[in-house]
Amino acid sequence: CLCLSVCMCVVCVWGGYLCFQVMFTEASQYLFTATRRRAFFKDVKILVPMSWRENDALYRRPSREMYTEANVMVSDPFCENAITPPFTSTLGHCGQQGRYIHLTPRYLLDNSATDTFGPRGRVLVHLWATLRWGVFSEFDSQTLFYRSGTGTIEATRCSSTISGFQLNSDGSACETDPQTGLPTGDCTFRPGSIQNTTGSIMYQPFIPQITEFCDSRSHNSEAPNTHNRLCDYRSVWDVISSTPDFQNGNNPPHAPDPAPPSFTLLRAQRRVVCLVLDTSGSMSTGNRITRLRQAAQLFLLEILEQGSLVGIVDFDDKTIILKSLTKIDSMSTRKQLAAALPSEASGGTNICGGLRKGLEVLTGDDNKVAGDEIILLTDGEDSGVGSCVEEVGNSNAIVHTIALGPSADPRLEQFAIRTGGKLFSATDNIDSNGLLDVFSGILSGAGDDVNMPIQLLSTGTKTAPDTQFSGSVSVDSTVGNNTVFSFTWQLAQPQVSVQSPRGDIYNNNHMDIDPAMRTARLTLPGVAESGTWSFTMLNSYSSAQTFTVTVLSQAVSECVPPLTVTGTIQKSEVTYPEPIIITGMVSQGNRLITKAKVSVIVDLGNGKLLRLPALDDGAGDDAFQDDGLYTCLFYEYPLSGRYSVKLEVLGEKGIVEAVSPIYHSTPAKPAPSKGRARRGVEINHQGLDDFSRSAVGGTVTVMGVPAVPQDDFPPSRVTDLTATLTNNSILLQWTAPGDDYNIGTVSNYDVRVSPIPDDLRNSFSQAHSLNTSSLYVVPAGQKQILQVPLTALPATNQSVLFFALCASDDAKHTSPTSSIANSPVVTFAMETPKNPVTTPSSASSRPSSAVPLLLSLGFTSSLCSI
């Protein structure tokens, strides 16, 4: 499925559409050849935004296609009208699918883009391989050269038989750095115009002779590139052929050439939502019905987009339509809908009855439900819930599920998984904002960052009598429109005060207070002042009670996208002792935000919250340092069941930076003028204000947690091992794992070496072991260093050796084998670098799966209509 989101006027739309057709048609045949006649693009769907004029003869209605679920997005969020490098957004896990491909409109429409990056179809296949199969670039803009095992200076490339020459940026011959023996930093490699090799697409797809991925025969296992580091020096084709698309004989070679892809235009529809809310007897416990009303009110008043249609159904053992589809056209309408929310709870639980009634409500606008949404909340079990999973799935509606409390039906998530909806849960911990966060996180899939509510803060606490709950929130310059402070209380209305950065005071008299809902809302006029806002809630009641505050705001400019945080949980279900891997992406449009402080808050379900740091340090499960993706592991489960996850982000002005995504960008062709060669995409640093963000991360179910805590957790896998030749020794460095994954200190390391990387991957214990008795182990997160004398290495006729290690704890648990590092083990006299000598490579055989695609044209700024 491939989705494109494009901001274009009418003259650009059709030019862009023709570019899509040409690009994907070219890419399909190129992909077919590259995968040895096993894969091609079959169906391509293009989703245009709702702001474009209706035309039933031209556009079809989408079913579950959404911008936010796109495989390829086309946008220009900063209105730069620039040809920025195409890139794939990915978590950097070898063999695992990425998130999306990003292109800009100018890249598609300006023919000079092909002069810079090569034919668009070839570039698309390069990006698609990272997205679909988790393989990575074999070009490296940071390490352009290395010394091979035979002593020659080589450009970082695959295959090593790609020929070319080395030049400084001014066209002069390269010089040697006396410290490293490698070409100086100004030296670049320029592939020749004629090549006698066919690989590899993941190196430089613009080279005309390149038509294949490197395989075991052509792979350059010495090259210090991203793919080798992340995939343990396996060839690209080895990784691709091991993915579910091709493993176990799936999708064998296809004899005839494929037909060109088919293209379908879809037009996004206005949002149509039905709240299907459980009001069975159990909802009367734990303050659940009140919390439901407060959270659903926030959704209706602040989250749902203007012009949306919304209905409300409640169910116990019966079902009732509280509101048929109603168009949101004013705050008055929003309040009328909120007033219709259920306030009483009794009876049994009939989940399927509620869903069927919700589908009935969704037909109220056009007798269709495809692409419409149901938000299903329940706290109970229903023995008949399995009877309607297929029925709901076949409806083409999208179901988001919210499991409230510990007894919500364990099969509830099947509806979300089956329909492409989101999975959420909230506990009965009334000291947290769990349910408010869930409803704040059910945003439109349209990808309209300009009009999307951004959660700046969400927090709550139990407050004693005659004491204050206070805090602050940073409103940065990317947001400020429609800023709302939303307060809730448990028992009695507090005295609320909000202070602006320049000292203006807002109190209860300035707020819209709903005593029945136990909520108060402060809507700031115009654009909120940038800076630090503070608030207090004074509990003047005789008993302790829980207060919460949620702060929402929107972007101030179409060409300045807001800062956002997006949480991802790698799996929706894990079995003890497997850890939960949580990733937070902090971004601004197509730029990534580094050096922020990111925290993960896990609701443990026992009344406690656990706060964990998420790090962007390039160690453990975090693939790259300073790439805007922050990773956290959670494994200390107190019990089996659902765990909800939330992310909080703080950014400090002068420290955080916005950077262009460089790790998975398409390499540019060397510029022809004056012999200059591009080094790839440079980091684009940009200053930012202090900012704060929070967002729900989703939910995950953990099974098999023992009643009595045990030490079943091994050290984490080391993923950043490096090996460097220094004088008469090899210096090995890595980030230390912990006794339990990434916490504590390991007991010892088993470090091994081999001339063949496969030996370390497949039979680590049989490889030559190095003496680590003198190694002083350091705590998790610190740099561990081991210096290995060349005399301690095994005798071999190979000049390059490969290293790997395992860590063990005091319970004899062993980590998975680390990433593999390599290093020359022979010193060579300094010499002037010579052009690499290339010998013709033997073309590998070109041994089909049809890949369905969805192109979604969404928007990030104002659009022209047709």
Side-chain angles (χ1 to χ4, degrees):
C1 161
L2 176 63
C3 283
L4 291 172
S5 165
V6 182
C7 171
M8 296 180 183
C9 294
V10 57
V11 67
C12 300
V13 170
W14 291 112
Y17 177 60
L18 294 175
C19 284
F20 301 151
Q21 290 184 311
V22 172
M23 179 171 64
F24 285 107
T25 301
E26 175 186 300
S28 182
Q29 186 59 53
Y30 192 53
L31 180 67
F32 189 61
T33 300
T35 57
R36 307 179 186 192
R37 309 183 71 88
R38 286 174 166 85
F40 56 92
F41 297 128
K42 182 178 180 181
D43 300 309
V44 179
K45 298 178 182 178
I46 303 173
L47 179 64
V48 305
M50 188 179 66
S51 58
W52 291 7
R53 187 178 305 155
E54 289 189 61
N55 186 335
D56 292 339
L58 181 62
Y59 303 124
R60 291 176 54 187
R61 176 191 176 107
S63 53
R64 292 174 177 142
E65 297 85 2
M66 293 185 294
Y67 174 94
T68 52
E69 301 302 318
N71 294 115
V72 174
M73 299 179 183
V74 177
S75 67
D76 185 12
F78 291 92
C79 308
E80 296 172 312
N81 192 30
I83 304 174
T84 58
F87 69 86
T88 300
S89 175
T90 172
L91 299 182
H93 297 148
C94 184
Q96 296 185 19
Q97 292 193 24
R99 301 178 69 246
Y100 60 86
I101 293 169
H102 181 269
L103 311 172
T104 60
R106 182 77 180 274
Y107 168 79
L108 287 170
L109 299 171
D110 193 327
N111 287 334
S112 66
T114 60
D115 297 333
T116 303
F117 299 104
R120 295 185 183 91
R122 287 171 167 256
V123 169
L124 180 60
V125 171
H126 174 92
L127 298 168
W128 182 264
T130 299
L131 177 73
R132 181 79 179 187
W133 299 307
V135 294
F136 304 96
S137 177
E138 293 174 302
F139 172 83
D140 195 292
S141 62
Q142 309 304 310
T143 310
L144 293 176
F145 298 96
Y146 67 99
R147 192 180 289 277
S148 74
T150 59
T152 60
I153 296 171
E154 298 287 348
T156 300
R157 66 203 193 284
C158 191
S159 71
S160 60
T161 56
I162 291 176
S163 61
F165 47 93
Q166 300 162 5
L167 290 173
N168 288 320
S169 59
D170 61 2
S172 63
C174 293
E175 299 177 352
T176 300
D177 185 324
Q179 299 298 318
T180 65
L182 297 176
T184 57
D186 198 36
C187 184
T188 56
F189 175 73
R190 294 173 53 83
S193 58
I194 299 176
Q195 300 289 337
N196 293 318
T197 183
T198 56
S200 168
I201 291 169
M202 298 311 295
Y203 171 59
Q204 301 278 23
F206 60 77
I207 298 175
Q209 295 83 4
I210 298 299
T211 58
E212 297 181 339
F213 299 110
C214 269
D215 58 18
S216 57
R217 293 176 297 174
S218 58
H219 180 57
N220 180 4
S221 61
E222 294 183 353
N225 56 40
T226 301
H227 177 79
N228 274 342
R229 182 173 75 83
L230 295 180
C231 293
D232 287 341
Y233 296 85
R234 296 168 63 192
S235 73
V236 169
W237 182 246
D238 180 35
V239 175
I240 291 176
S241 58
S242 300
T243 62
D245 282 345
F246 304 115
Q247 67 181 1
N248 301 322
N250 290 340
N251 298 307
H254 191 264
D257 285 351
S262 63
F263 296 86
T264 305
L265 285 169
L266 308 173
R267 178 179 174 272
Q269 306 296 303
R270 63 182 171 182
R271 197 173 187 191
V272 183
V273 182
C274 185
L275 303 180
V276 178
L277 308 174
D278 184 353
T279 56
S280 61
S282 56
M283 286 292 294
S284 63
T285 62
N287 207 33
R288 290 176 184 172
I289 196 71
T290 300
R291 293 167 58 219
L292 163 62
R293 286 164 55 81
Q294 292 173 339
Q297 181 197 54
L298 179 70
F299 178 74
L300 293 170
L301 297 185
E302 310 297 346
I303 303 300
L304 266 177
E305 301 81 354
Q306 195 78 350
S308 300
L309 297 177
V310 61
I312 304 173
V313 168
D314 84 5
F315 69 93
D316 41 49
D317 44 9
K318 305 178 296 297
T319 58
I320 301 174
I321 298 176
L322 299 178
K323 272 290 185 180
S324 298
L325 287 182
T326 303
K327 183 178 180 180
I328 293 182
D329 54 11
S330 66
M331 181 53 69
S332 176
T333 302
R334 292 176 183 270
K335 289 182 177 180
Q336 290 173 18
L337 286 163
L341 290 167
S343 57
E344 296 182 356
S346 64
T349 304
N350 184 356
I351 294 174
C352 284
L355 286 168
R356 291 187 178 108
K357 188 63 69 173
L359 291 172
E360 177 186 329
V361 169
L362 291 178
T363 63
D365 59 333
D366 58 4
N367 291 318
K368 299 176 183 177
V369 302
D372 295 347
E373 300 169 72
I374 286 177
I375 299 174
L376 171 64
L377 180 146
T378 183
D379 71 341
E381 293 192 51
D382 176 5
S383 60
V385 70
S387 64
C388 62
V389 172
E390 184 175 358
E391 174 189 348
V392 173
N394 291 336
S395 72
N396 278 329
I398 300 166
V399 179
H400 310 293
T401 57
I402 305 172
L404 179 58
S407 301
D409 199 293
R411 296 162 292 182
L412 186 64
E413 283 82 3
Q414 293 180 22
F415 293 104
I417 294 170
R418 178 71 170 77
T419 64
K422 297 178 181 179
L423 293 71
F424 300 102
S425 66
T427 68
D428 286 328
N429 181 7
I430 62 173
D431 295 346
S432 76
N433 279 29
L435 203 52
L436 289 163
D437 292 335
V438 165
F439 274 94
S440 298
I442 308 177
L443 301 171
S444 165
D448 181 9
D449 286 351
V450 174
N451 297 305
M452 180 177 66
I454 305 295
Q455 191 178 82
L456 308 186
L457 176 72
S458 175
T459 185
T461 189
K462 193 170 186 177
T463 306
D466 298 320
T467 59
Q468 289 184 343
F469 167 45
S470 60
S472 63
V473 59
S474 295
V475 178
D476 60 279
S477 60
T478 70
V479 294
N481 270 343
N482 300 318
T483 302
V484 177
F485 284 72
S486 180
F487 302 93
T488 74
W489 57 89
Q490 182 185 1
L491 300 172
Q493 181 179 323
Q495 298 177 30
V496 182
S497 175
V498 175
Q499 181 171 325
S500 74
R502 64 169 172 254
D504 296 333
I505 303 294
Y506 302 86
N507 55 34
N508 290 31
N509 296 328
H510 300 93
M511 300 186 188
D512 183 359
I513 297 175
D514 188 335
M517 285 284 191
R518 303 174 194 170
T519 62
R521 297 171 55 252
L522 171 64
T523 302
L524 300 177
V527 177
E529 180 185 356
S530 295
T532 301
W533 290 70
S534 60
F535 64 88
T536 61
M537 298 179 74
L538 174 62
N539 183 15
S540 55
Y541 191 57
S542 59
S543 300
Q545 61 174 323
T546 295
F547 294 150
T548 75
V549 58
T550 302
V551 183
L552 301 168
S553 190
Q554 294 181 11
V556 295
S557 170
E558 293 179 343
C559 295
V560 182
L563 296 158
T564 61
V565 56
T566 304
T568 302
I569 302 177
Q570 192 174 67
K571 296 181 179 180
S572 61
E573 190 175 275
V574 300
T575 301
Y576 175 93
E578 181 182 3
I580 299 170
I581 302 174
I582 305 155
T583 302
M585 183 177 76
V586 186
S587 60
Q588 183 189 20
N590 59 349
R591 298 173 184 169
L592 298 166
I593 307 302
T594 66
K595 299 179 174 61
K597 180 181 179 182
V598 180
S599 300
V600 171
I601 297 95
V602 182
D603 194 326
L604 300 178
N606 56 6
K608 297 181 180 179
L609 301 176
L610 178 65
R611 180 180 292 267
L612 300 168
L615 302 178
D616 186 15
D617 58 358
D621 287 283
D622 188 71
F624 296 95
Q625 183 175 6
D626 292 336
D627 69 343
L629 296 173
Y630 300 78
T631 306
C632 170
L633 261 66
F634 167 59
Y635 55 89
E636 295 180 300
Y637 315 121
L639 69 169
S640 297
R642 295 182 177 97
Y643 290 85
S644 60
V645 173
K646 173 182 174 180
L647 291 94
E648 290 184 352
V649 182
L650 294 176
E652 184 177 345
K653 183 177 181 179
I655 294 179
V656 291
E657 296 169 330
V659 303
S660 298
I662 64 170
Y663 293 112
H664 312 297
S665 300
T666 302
K669 296 167 65 175
S673 59
K674 298 182 181 180
R676 185 182 298 274
R678 290 183 179 86
R679 282 182 169 270
V681 185
E682 299 297 328
I683 296 178
N684 177 18
H685 296 276
Q686 176 178 317
L688 298 165
D689 299 331
D690 290 348
F691 70 90
S692 61
R693 295 291 186 272
S694 67
V696 64
T699 188
V700 59
T701 300
V702 180
M703 302 176 295
V705 178
V708 179
Q710 302 174 19
D711 182 3
D712 292 323
F713 309 114
S716 289
R717 178 176 183 258
V718 171
T719 58
D720 61 347
L721 177 65
T722 61
T724 307
L725 177 62
T726 58
N727 296 325
N728 293 314
S729 64
I730 300 293
L731 188 68
L732 299 178
Q733 297 186 73
W734 64 91
T735 301
D739 175 82
D740 295 340
Y741 293 117
N742 54 5
I743 302 296
T745 305
V746 303
S747 297
N748 56 73
Y749 291 96
D750 182 5
V751 183
R752 296 185 180 258
V753 59
S754 173
I756 304 172
D758 280 353
D759 289 350
L760 297 171
R761 268 199 311 270
N762 303 325
S763 53
F764 176 82
S765 61
Q766 304 301 312
H768 181 85
S769 178
L770 296 175
N771 186 351
T772 60
S773 59
S774 61
L775 183 65
Y776 174 76
V777 294
V778 299
Q782 297 186 18
K783 275 296 178 185
Q784 186 78 68
I785 299 175
L786 175 65
Q787 195 152 5
V788 182
L790 294 180
T791 55
L793 299 174
T796 176
N797 58 1
Q798 299 294 317
S799 300
V800 172
L801 291 179
F802 296 84
F803 301 83
L805 62 85
C806 289
S808 299
D809 63 14
D810 53 9
K812 307 303 181 184
H813 299 308
T814 302
S815 73
T817 304
S818 71
S819 58
I820 298 173
N822 73 343
S823 173
V825 291
V826 178
T827 57
F828 300 93
M830 298 301 175
E831 60 181 33
T832 301
K834 300 176 181 178
N835 294 335
V837 178
T838 299
T839 57
S841 66
S842 57
S844 57
S845 60
R846 300 180 182 176
S848 126
S849 69
V851 180
L853 297 177
L854 165 72
L855 276 103
S856 165
L857 277 76
F859 55 90
T860 54
S861 58
S862 60
L863 295 166
C864 301
S865 59
I866 58 174

